[in-house]
Structures are given as C-alpha cells and as structure tokens.
Amino acid sequence: MTSAAGQDADDERRNVSDVAGVAVLGSCAVWSLITAAAHGGRPEGVLLAVLAVAAGHAAGRICGSLLPVAAPCAAALAGLGLLVAVPHFAPGPQPGA
C-alpha cells in the first residue's frame, strides 16, 4: 500500500513525463515544418510519422490503464469459450447431456 505522499510523487513524475513527451513530439512537428519551408519541400510524410507516434503513445497509455480490467474479462471469456466449445472440459454435470 502506498502513502498519499508516494502517490503524489508518482503523479508528479507521470505529469513531467507526459509534458516531456509532448514537448518532444511538438519539437519534431515544428522541425519538419521549418525544414520543409527552408528547402521548399513537403512535410506531410514527417508530420504523418509524428502523428502515428503520438497515436501509438496514446493507444499504449489507454491500453495500459485498461489492462487491469481487460485481463480478467479476457480470462472469463476464454473460460466461457472453452466451456461451450469443449463439452466435456469441465468436471461435474454436463449441460445438455
């Protein structure tokens, strides 16, 4: 069990990490626009890559926060699937026998 002070420290570290990540992604996007403007190029490819990285990061954060709920649900669905697919898998009375 963590104390309230320990939780606050973890939240502060996450906030700093998130701000650093946003700063790096923003810097990459700005840099691609600057270099494209300086060389007369088209920055769409680099901007799409930055967008893909940002989307991957967001999806990872969302999946990571949902994992404590999703893992038991997946295990329950797998057990139900085994019970339905393999009739004699579970010991005891068999439904529909």
Side-chain angles (χ1 to χ4, degrees):
M1 186 169 172
T2 61
S3 66
Q7 184 67 29
D8 289 341
D10 287 342
D11 289 342
E12 183 65 29
R13 259 186 259 123
R14 270 192 212 106
N15 288 339
V16 170
S17 175
D18 287 344
V19 168
V22 167
V24 169
L25 284 173
S27 302
C28 291
V30 169
W31 181 251
S32 69
L33 291 173
I34 291 171
T35 56
H39 298 293
R42 296 175 56 190
E44 290 87 4
V46 177
L47 289 175
L48 283 174
V50 170
L51 180 63
V53 169
H57 176 71
R61 293 290 304 260
I62 291 169
C63 290
S65 67
L66 293 178
L67 188 62
V69 174
C73 289
L77 286 174
L80 182 64
L82 280 174
L83 186 65
V84 170
V86 184
H88 301 290
F89 186 73
Q94 301 298 319

Coordinates of all heavy atoms in Angstrom, one line a residue:
M1 N 0.8 -1.2 0.0 CA 0.0 0.0 0.0 C 0.9 1.2 0.0 O 1.9 1.3 0.7 CB -0.9 0.0 1.2 CG -1.9 1.1 1.2 SD -3.1 0.7 2.6 CE -4.0 2.2 2.5
T2 N 0.6 2.2 -0.8 CA 1.4 3.4 -0.9 C 0.7 4.5 -0.1 O -0.5 4.6 0.0 CB 1.6 3.9 -2.4 OG1 0.3 4.2 -2.9 CG2 2.3 2.8 -3.2
S3 N 1.5 5.4 0.4 CA 1.0 6.5 1.1 C 0.5 7.6 0.1 O 0.8 7.5 -1.1 CB 2.1 7.1 2.0 OG 3.1 7.7 1.3
A4 N -0.2 8.6 0.7 CA -0.6 9.7 -0.2 C 0.5 10.5 -0.7 O 0.5 10.9 -1.9 CB -1.5 10.6 0.6
A5 N 1.6 10.6 0.0 CA 2.8 11.4 -0.5 C 3.4 10.6 -1.6 O 3.9 11.2 -2.6 CB 3.8 11.6 0.6
G6 N 3.5 9.3 -1.5 CA 4.1 8.4 -2.6 C 3.2 8.5 -3.8 O 3.8 8.5 -4.9
Q7 N 1.9 8.5 -3.7 CA 1.0 8.6 -4.8 C 1.2 10.0 -5.5 O 1.2 10.1 -6.8 CB -0.4 8.4 -4.4 CG -1.4 8.4 -5.6 CD -1.2 7.2 -6.5 OE1 -0.8 6.2 -6.1 NE2 -1.5 7.4 -7.7
D8 N 1.3 11.0 -4.7 CA 1.5 12.4 -5.3 C 2.8 12.4 -6.1 O 2.9 13.1 -7.1 CB 1.5 13.4 -4.2 CG 0.1 13.6 -3.6 OD1 -0.9 13.2 -4.3 OD2 0.0 14.2 -2.5
A9 N 3.9 11.8 -5.6 CA 5.2 11.8 -6.2 C 5.1 11.0 -7.6 O 5.6 11.5 -8.6 CB 6.2 11.2 -5.4
D10 N 4.3 9.9 -7.6 CA 4.2 9.2 -8.8 C 3.4 10.0 -9.8 O 3.7 10.0 -11.0 CB 3.4 7.9 -8.5 CG 4.3 6.8 -7.8 OD1 5.5 7.0 -7.9 OD2 3.7 5.9 -7.3
D11 N 2.3 10.7 -9.4 CA 1.5 11.5 -10.3 C 2.4 12.6 -10.9 O 2.3 13.0 -12.0 CB 0.3 12.1 -9.6 CG -0.7 11.0 -9.3 OD1 -0.7 9.9 -9.9 OD2 -1.6 11.3 -8.4
E12 N 3.2 13.2 -10.0 CA 4.1 14.3 -10.5 C 5.1 13.8 -11.5 O 5.3 14.5 -12.5 CB 4.8 14.9 -9.3 CG 5.7 16.1 -9.6 CD 4.9 17.3 -10.1 OE1 3.7 17.4 -9.7 OE2 5.4 18.1 -11.0
R13 N 5.7 12.6 -11.3 CA 6.6 12.0 -12.3 C 5.9 11.8 -13.6 O 6.4 12.0 -14.7 CB 7.2 10.7 -11.7 CG 8.6 11.0 -11.2 CD 9.2 9.7 -10.8 NE 9.1 9.6 -9.4 CZ 8.6 8.6 -8.7 NH1 8.1 7.6 -9.3 NH2 8.5 8.6 -7.4
R14 N 4.6 11.3 -13.5 CA 3.9 11.0 -14.8 C 3.6 12.3 -15.5 O 3.7 12.3 -16.7 CB 2.6 10.3 -14.4 CG 2.7 8.8 -14.4 CD 1.4 8.1 -14.4 NE 1.6 6.9 -13.7 CZ 1.1 6.7 -12.5 NH1 0.4 7.6 -11.8 NH2 1.3 5.5 -11.9
N15 N 3.3 13.3 -14.8 CA 3.0 14.6 -15.4 C 4.2 15.2 -16.1 O 4.1 15.7 -17.2 CB 2.4 15.6 -14.4 CG 1.0 15.3 -14.0 OD1 0.3 14.6 -14.7 ND2 0.6 15.8 -12.8
V16 N 5.4 15.1 -15.4 CA 6.6 15.6 -16.0 C 6.9 14.7 -17.3 O 7.3 15.3 -18.3 CB 7.8 15.5 -15.0 CG1 9.1 15.7 -15.6 CG2 7.5 16.5 -13.9
S17 N 6.7 13.4 -17.2 CA 7.0 12.6 -18.3 C 6.1 12.9 -19.5 O 6.5 12.9 -20.7 CB 6.8 11.1 -17.9 OG 6.9 10.3 -19.0
D18 N 4.8 13.1 -19.2 CA 3.9 13.5 -20.3 C 4.2 14.8 -20.9 O 4.2 15.0 -22.1 CB 2.4 13.6 -19.7 CG 1.9 12.2 -19.4 OD1 2.4 11.2 -19.9 OD2 0.9 12.1 -18.7
V19 N 4.6 15.8 -20.1 CA 5.0 17.1 -20.6 C 6.2 17.0 -21.5 O 6.3 17.6 -22.6 CB 5.2 18.1 -19.5 CG1 5.8 19.4 -20.0 CG2 3.8 18.4 -18.8
A20 N 7.2 16.2 -21.1 CA 8.4 16.0 -21.9 C 8.1 15.3 -23.2 O 8.6 15.7 -24.2 CB 9.4 15.1 -21.1
G21 N 7.2 14.3 -23.2 CA 6.8 13.6 -24.4 C 6.1 14.6 -25.4 O 6.4 14.5 -26.6
V22 N 5.2 15.4 -24.9 CA 4.5 16.4 -25.7 C 5.5 17.4 -26.3 O 5.4 17.7 -27.5 CB 3.4 17.0 -24.9 CG1 2.8 18.2 -25.7 CG2 2.3 16.1 -24.6
A23 N 6.5 17.8 -25.5 CA 7.5 18.7 -26.0 C 8.3 18.1 -27.1 O 8.6 18.8 -28.1 CB 8.3 19.2 -24.8
V24 N 8.7 16.9 -26.9 CA 9.5 16.2 -28.0 C 8.7 16.1 -29.3 O 9.2 16.4 -30.4 CB 10.0 14.9 -27.5 CG1 10.6 14.1 -28.6 CG2 11.0 15.1 -26.4
L25 N 7.4 15.6 -29.1 CA 6.6 15.5 -30.3 C 6.3 16.8 -31.0 O 6.3 16.9 -32.2 CB 5.3 14.8 -30.0 CG 5.4 13.3 -29.8 CD1 4.0 12.7 -29.2 CD2 5.8 12.6 -31.0
G26 N 6.1 17.8 -30.2 CA 5.8 19.2 -30.8 C 7.1 19.7 -31.5 O 7.0 20.3 -32.5
S27 N 8.3 19.4 -30.9 CA 9.5 19.8 -31.5 C 9.7 19.2 -32.8 O 10.2 19.8 -33.8 CB 10.7 19.5 -30.6 OG 10.5 20.2 -29.3
C28 N 9.4 17.9 -32.9 CA 9.6 17.1 -34.2 C 8.6 17.7 -35.2 O 9.1 17.9 -36.4 CB 9.2 15.7 -33.9 SG 10.4 14.8 -33.0
A29 N 7.4 18.0 -34.9 CA 6.5 18.6 -35.8 C 6.9 20.0 -36.3 O 6.9 20.2 -37.5 CB 5.1 18.7 -35.2
V30 N 7.4 20.8 -35.4 CA 7.9 22.1 -35.8 C 9.1 22.0 -36.6 O 9.3 22.7 -37.6 CB 8.1 23.0 -34.5 CG1 8.9 24.2 -34.8 CG2 6.8 23.3 -33.8
W31 N 10.0 21.1 -36.3 CA 11.3 20.9 -37.1 C 10.9 20.5 -38.5 O 11.5 21.0 -39.4 CB 12.2 19.9 -36.4 CG 13.5 19.8 -37.1 CD1 13.9 18.7 -37.8 CD2 14.5 20.7 -37.2 NE1 15.1 18.9 -38.4 CE2 15.5 20.2 -38.1 CE3 14.7 22.0 -36.8 CZ2 16.7 20.8 -38.4 CZ3 15.9 22.7 -37.1 CH2 16.8 22.1 -37.9
S32 N 10.0 19.6 -38.7 CA 9.6 19.2 -40.0 C 9.0 20.3 -40.8 O 9.3 20.5 -42.0 CB 8.7 18.0 -40.0 OG 7.4 18.4 -39.5
L33 N 8.3 21.2 -40.2 CA 7.7 22.3 -40.9 C 8.8 23.3 -41.2 O 8.8 23.9 -42.3 CB 6.6 23.0 -40.0 CG 5.3 22.2 -39.8 CD1 4.4 22.9 -38.8 CD2 4.6 22.0 -41.1
I34 N 9.7 23.6 -40.3 CA 10.8 24.5 -40.6 C 11.7 24.0 -41.8 O 12.0 24.8 -42.7 CB 11.7 24.7 -39.3 CG1 10.9 25.5 -38.3 CG2 13.0 25.5 -39.6 CD1 11.5 25.6 -36.9
T35 N 12.1 22.8 -41.7 CA 13.0 22.2 -42.8 C 12.3 22.2 -44.1 O 12.9 22.4 -45.2 CB 13.5 20.8 -42.4 OG1 12.4 20.0 -42.1 CG2 14.4 20.9 -41.2
A36 N 10.9 21.9 -44.1 CA 10.2 21.9 -45.4 C 10.1 23.3 -45.9 O 10.2 23.5 -47.1 CB 8.8 21.3 -45.2
A37 N 9.9 24.3 -45.1 CA 9.8 25.7 -45.5 C 11.1 26.2 -46.1 O 11.2 26.9 -47.0 CB 9.3 26.6 -44.4
A38 N 12.2 25.8 -45.4 CA 13.5 26.2 -45.8 C 14.0 25.6 -47.1 O 14.7 26.2 -47.9 CB 14.6 25.9 -44.7
H39 N 13.6 24.4 -47.4 CA 14.0 23.7 -48.6 C 12.9 23.6 -49.7 O 13.1 22.9 -50.7 CB 14.5 22.3 -48.2 CG 15.7 22.3 -47.3 ND1 16.9 22.7 -47.7 CD2 15.8 21.9 -46.0 CE1 17.8 22.6 -46.7 NE2 17.1 22.1 -45.7
G40 N 11.8 24.2 -49.4 CA 10.7 24.1 -50.4 C 10.1 22.8 -50.6 O 9.6 22.4 -51.6
G41 N 10.2 21.9 -49.5 CA 9.7 20.6 -49.6 C 8.3 20.4 -49.1 O 7.6 21.4 -48.8
R42 N 7.9 19.2 -48.9 CA 6.5 18.9 -48.4 C 6.7 18.1 -47.1 O 7.2 17.0 -47.2 CB 5.7 18.1 -49.5 CG 5.5 19.0 -50.7 CD 4.9 18.2 -51.8 NE 3.6 17.6 -51.3 CZ 2.9 16.7 -52.0 NH1 3.4 16.3 -53.2 NH2 1.8 16.3 -51.6
P43 N 6.2 18.6 -46.0 CA 6.4 18.0 -44.7 C 5.3 16.9 -44.4 O 5.3 16.4 -43.3 CB 6.3 19.1 -43.7 CG 5.3 20.0 -44.4 CD 5.5 19.9 -45.8
E44 N 4.5 16.5 -45.3 CA 3.4 15.7 -44.9 C 3.8 14.3 -44.4 O 3.2 13.8 -43.4 CB 2.4 15.4 -46.1 CG 1.7 16.6 -46.6 CD 2.4 17.5 -47.5 OE1 3.5 17.1 -47.9 OE2 1.9 18.6 -47.9
G45 N 4.8 13.7 -45.0 CA 5.3 12.4 -44.5 C 5.8 12.4 -43.1 O 5.5 11.6 -42.3
V46 N 6.6 13.5 -42.8 CA 7.2 13.6 -41.4 C 6.1 13.9 -40.4 O 6.0 13.3 -39.3 CB 8.3 14.6 -41.4 CG1 8.8 14.8 -40.0 CG2 9.4 14.2 -42.3
L47 N 5.1 14.8 -40.8 CA 4.0 15.1 -39.9 C 3.1 13.9 -39.7 O 2.6 13.6 -38.6 CB 3.2 16.2 -40.5 CG 3.9 17.6 -40.4 CD1 3.0 18.6 -41.1 CD2 4.2 18.0 -39.0
L48 N 2.9 13.0 -40.7 CA 2.2 11.8 -40.5 C 2.9 10.8 -39.6 O 2.3 10.1 -38.8 CB 1.9 11.1 -41.9 CG 0.8 11.8 -42.7 CD1 0.7 11.1 -44.0 CD2 -0.6 11.7 -41.9
A49 N 4.2 10.8 -39.7 CA 5.0 9.9 -38.8 C 4.9 10.4 -37.4 O 4.7 9.6 -36.4 CB 6.5 9.9 -39.2
V50 N 5.0 11.7 -37.2 CA 4.8 12.3 -35.8 C 3.4 12.0 -35.3 O 3.2 11.6 -34.1 CB 5.1 13.8 -35.8 CG1 4.7 14.5 -34.5 CG2 6.5 14.1 -36.1
L51 N 2.4 12.1 -36.1 CA 1.0 11.8 -35.7 C 0.9 10.3 -35.4 O 0.2 10.0 -34.4 CB 0.0 12.1 -36.9 CG -1.4 11.9 -36.6 CD1 -1.9 12.7 -35.4 CD2 -2.2 12.1 -37.8
A52 N 1.5 9.4 -36.1 CA 1.5 8.0 -35.8 C 2.1 7.7 -34.5 O 1.6 6.9 -33.7 CB 2.2 7.2 -37.0
V53 N 3.3 8.3 -34.2 CA 3.9 8.1 -32.9 C 3.0 8.6 -31.8 O 2.9 7.9 -30.8 CB 5.3 8.8 -32.9 CG1 5.9 8.9 -31.5 CG2 6.2 8.1 -33.8
A54 N 2.4 9.8 -32.0 CA 1.5 10.3 -30.9 C 0.3 9.4 -30.7 O -0.1 9.1 -29.6 CB 1.0 11.7 -31.3
A55 N -0.2 8.9 -31.8 CA -1.4 8.0 -31.7 C -1.0 6.7 -31.0 O -1.7 6.1 -30.2 CB -2.0 7.7 -33.1
G56 N 0.2 6.1 -31.3 CA 0.7 4.9 -30.7 C 0.9 5.1 -29.2 O 0.6 4.3 -28.4
H57 N 1.4 6.3 -28.9 CA 1.7 6.6 -27.4 C 0.3 6.7 -26.7 O 0.2 6.1 -25.6 CB 2.4 7.9 -27.3 CG 2.6 8.4 -25.9 ND1 3.4 7.7 -25.0 CD2 2.0 9.4 -25.2 CE1 3.4 8.3 -23.8 NE2 2.5 9.3 -23.9
A58 N -0.6 7.4 -27.3 CA -2.0 7.5 -26.7 C -2.6 6.1 -26.5 O -3.2 5.8 -25.5 CB -2.8 8.4 -27.5
A59 N -2.6 5.3 -27.6 CA -3.2 4.0 -27.5 C -2.5 3.1 -26.5 O -3.2 2.4 -25.7 CB -3.1 3.3 -28.9
G60 N -1.2 3.2 -26.3 CA -0.5 2.5 -25.3 C -0.9 2.9 -23.9 O -1.0 2.1 -23.0
R61 N -1.0 4.2 -23.7 CA -1.5 4.7 -22.4 C -2.9 4.2 -22.1 O -3.2 3.8 -20.9 CB -1.4 6.2 -22.4 CG -0.1 6.9 -22.4 CD 0.8 6.7 -21.2 NE 0.1 7.1 -20.0 CZ 0.4 8.3 -19.4 NH1 1.3 9.1 -19.9 NH2 -0.3 8.6 -18.3
I62 N -3.8 4.3 -23.1 CA -5.1 3.8 -22.8 C -5.2 2.3 -22.5 O -5.9 1.9 -21.6 CB -6.0 4.2 -24.0 CG1 -6.2 5.7 -24.1 CG2 -7.4 3.5 -24.0 CD1 -6.8 6.2 -25.4
C63 N -4.5 1.5 -23.3 CA -4.5 0.1 -23.1 C -3.8 -0.3 -21.8 O -4.3 -1.2 -21.1 CB -3.8 -0.6 -24.2 SG -4.7 -0.6 -25.8
G64 N -2.8 0.5 -21.4 CA -2.2 0.2 -20.1 C -3.1 0.5 -18.9 O -3.0 -0.2 -17.9
S65 N -3.9 1.5 -19.1 CA -4.8 1.8 -18.0 C -6.0 0.9 -17.9 O -6.6 0.7 -16.9 CB -5.3 3.3 -18.1 OG -6.1 3.5 -19.2
L66 N -6.4 0.3 -19.1 CA -7.5 -0.6 -19.1 C -7.1 -2.1 -18.8 O -7.9 -2.9 -18.6 CB -8.2 -0.6 -20.5 CG -8.9 0.7 -20.8 CD1 -9.4 0.6 -22.3 CD2 -10.0 1.0 -19.9
L67 N -5.8 -2.4 -18.8 CA -5.3 -3.7 -18.7 C -5.8 -4.4 -17.4 O -6.2 -5.6 -17.4 CB -3.8 -3.8 -18.7 CG -3.2 -5.2 -18.8 CD1 -3.6 -5.9 -20.0 CD2 -1.7 -5.1 -18.8
P68 N -5.8 -3.7 -16.2 CA -6.3 -4.4 -15.0 C -7.7 -4.9 -15.1 O -8.1 -5.8 -14.4 CB -6.1 -3.3 -13.9 CG -5.1 -2.4 -14.4 CD -5.2 -2.4 -15.9
V69 N -8.5 -4.3 -15.9 CA -9.9 -4.7 -16.1 C -10.0 -5.7 -17.3 O -10.8 -6.6 -17.2 CB -10.8 -3.5 -16.4 CG1 -12.2 -3.9 -16.7 CG2 -10.8 -2.5 -15.2
A70 N -9.3 -5.4 -18.3 CA -9.4 -6.2 -19.5 C -8.9 -7.7 -19.4 O -9.4 -8.6 -19.9 CB -8.7 -5.6 -20.7
A71 N -7.8 -7.8 -18.6 CA -7.2 -9.2 -18.4 C -8.2 -10.1 -17.7 O -8.4 -11.2 -18.3 CB -5.9 -9.1 -17.6
P72 N -8.8 -9.8 -16.6 CA -9.8 -10.7 -16.1 C -11.0 -11.0 -17.0 O -11.5 -12.1 -17.0 CB -10.2 -10.1 -14.7 CG -9.2 -9.1 -14.4 CD -8.6 -8.7 -15.7
C73 N -11.4 -10.0 -17.7 CA -12.5 -10.1 -18.6 C -12.2 -11.1 -19.7 O -13.0 -12.0 -20.1 CB -13.0 -8.8 -19.2 SG -13.8 -7.7 -18.0
A74 N -11.0 -11.0 -20.3 CA -10.5 -11.9 -21.3 C -10.4 -13.3 -20.8 O -10.7 -14.3 -21.5 CB -9.2 -11.4 -21.8
A75 N -9.9 -13.5 -19.6 CA -9.8 -14.8 -19.0 C -11.2 -15.4 -18.8 O -11.4 -16.6 -19.0 CB -9.1 -14.7 -17.6
A76 N -12.2 -14.6 -18.3 CA -13.5 -15.1 -18.2 C -14.1 -15.5 -19.5 O -14.8 -16.6 -19.6 CB -14.4 -14.1 -17.5
L77 N -13.9 -14.7 -20.5 CA -14.4 -15.1 -21.8 C -13.8 -16.3 -22.4 O -14.4 -17.1 -23.1 CB -14.3 -13.9 -22.8 CG -15.2 -12.7 -22.6 CD1 -14.8 -11.6 -23.5 CD2 -16.6 -13.1 -22.8
A78 N -12.5 -16.5 -22.2 CA -11.8 -17.7 -22.6 C -12.3 -18.9 -21.9 O -12.5 -20.0 -22.5 CB -10.3 -17.5 -22.3
G79 N -12.6 -18.8 -20.6 CA -13.2 -19.9 -19.9 C -14.6 -20.3 -20.4 O -14.9 -21.4 -20.5
L80 N -15.4 -19.2 -20.6 CA -16.7 -19.5 -21.2 C -16.6 -20.1 -22.6 O -17.4 -21.0 -22.9 CB -17.5 -18.2 -21.2 CG -18.9 -18.3 -21.7 CD1 -19.7 -19.1 -20.8 CD2 -19.5 -16.9 -21.9
G81 N -15.7 -19.6 -23.4 CA -15.5 -20.2 -24.7 C -15.1 -21.7 -24.6 O -15.6 -22.5 -25.4
L82 N -14.2 -22.0 -23.7 CA -13.8 -23.4 -23.5 C -15.0 -24.3 -23.0 O -15.2 -25.4 -23.5 CB -12.7 -23.5 -22.5 CG -11.3 -23.2 -23.0 CD1 -10.3 -23.2 -21.9 CD2 -10.9 -24.2 -24.1
L83 N -15.8 -23.7 -22.2 CA -16.9 -24.5 -21.7 C -17.9 -24.8 -22.8 O -18.5 -25.9 -22.8 CB -17.6 -23.7 -20.5 CG -18.7 -24.4 -19.8 CD1 -18.2 -25.5 -19.0 CD2 -19.4 -23.4 -18.9
V84 N -18.1 -23.8 -23.7 CA -19.1 -24.0 -24.8 C -18.5 -24.9 -25.9 O -19.1 -25.8 -26.4 CB -19.5 -22.7 -25.3 CG1 -20.3 -22.8 -26.6 CG2 -20.4 -21.9 -24.3
A85 N -17.2 -24.7 -26.2 CA -16.6 -25.3 -27.3 C -16.2 -26.8 -27.0 O -16.3 -27.7 -27.9 CB -15.3 -24.6 -27.8
V86 N -15.8 -27.1 -25.8 CA -15.4 -28.4 -25.4 C -16.4 -28.9 -24.4 O -16.2 -28.6 -23.2 CB -13.9 -28.4 -24.9 CG1 -13.5 -29.8 -24.6 CG2 -13.0 -27.7 -25.9
P87 N -17.3 -29.7 -24.8 CA -18.4 -30.1 -23.8 C -17.9 -30.8 -22.6 O -18.5 -30.6 -21.5 CB -19.3 -31.0 -24.7 CG -19.0 -30.7 -26.1 CD -17.6 -30.2 -26.1
H88 N -16.9 -31.7 -22.7 CA -16.5 -32.5 -21.5 C -15.2 -31.9 -20.9 O -14.5 -32.6 -20.3 CB -16.3 -33.9 -22.0 CG -17.5 -34.5 -22.5 ND1 -18.6 -34.8 -21.8 CD2 -17.8 -34.9 -23.8 CE1 -19.5 -35.3 -22.5 NE2 -19.1 -35.4 -23.8
F89 N -15.0 -30.6 -21.0 CA -13.8 -30.0 -20.5 C -13.9 -29.8 -18.9 O -13.0 -30.0 -18.2 CB -13.6 -28.6 -21.1 CG -12.3 -28.0 -20.7 CD1 -11.1 -28.4 -21.2 CD2 -12.3 -26.9 -19.9 CE1 -9.9 -27.8 -20.8 CE2 -11.1 -26.3 -19.5 CZ -9.9 -26.7 -20.0
A90 N -15.1 -29.4 -18.5 CA -15.3 -29.2 -17.0 C -15.8 -30.4 -16.4 O -16.7 -31.1 -16.9 CB -16.3 -28.0 -16.8
P91 N -15.4 -30.7 -15.1 CA -15.9 -31.9 -14.4 C -17.3 -31.5 -13.9 O -17.7 -30.4 -13.8 CB -14.9 -32.0 -13.3 CG -14.3 -30.7 -13.1 CD -14.3 -30.0 -14.4
G92 N -18.0 -32.5 -13.6 CA -19.4 -32.3 -13.0 C -20.4 -32.6 -14.0 O -20.2 -33.1 -15.1
P93 N -21.7 -32.2 -13.7 CA -22.8 -32.4 -14.6 C -22.6 -31.6 -15.9 O -22.1 -30.5 -15.9 CB -24.0 -31.9 -13.8 CG -23.5 -31.2 -12.6 CD -22.1 -31.5 -12.4
Q94 N -22.9 -32.2 -17.0 CA -22.8 -31.6 -18.3 C -24.1 -31.0 -18.8 O -25.1 -31.7 -18.8 CB -22.3 -32.7 -19.3 CG -21.0 -33.3 -19.0 CD -19.8 -32.3 -18.9 OE1 -19.8 -31.4 -19.7 NE2 -19.0 -32.5 -17.9
P95 N -24.1 -29.8 -19.2 CA -25.3 -29.2 -19.7 C -25.7 -29.8 -21.0 O -24.9 -30.0 -21.8 CB -25.0 -27.7 -19.8 CG -23.5 -27.6 -19.9 CD -23.0 -28.8 -19.2
G96 N -27.0 -30.1 -21.1 CA -27.5 -30.6 -22.4 C -27.2 -32.1 -22.6 O -27.3 -32.6 -23.7
A97 N -26.7 -32.8 -21.6 CA -26.4 -34.2 -21.7 C -27.6 -35.1 -21.5 O -28.6 -34.8 -20.9 CB -25.4 -34.6 -20.7

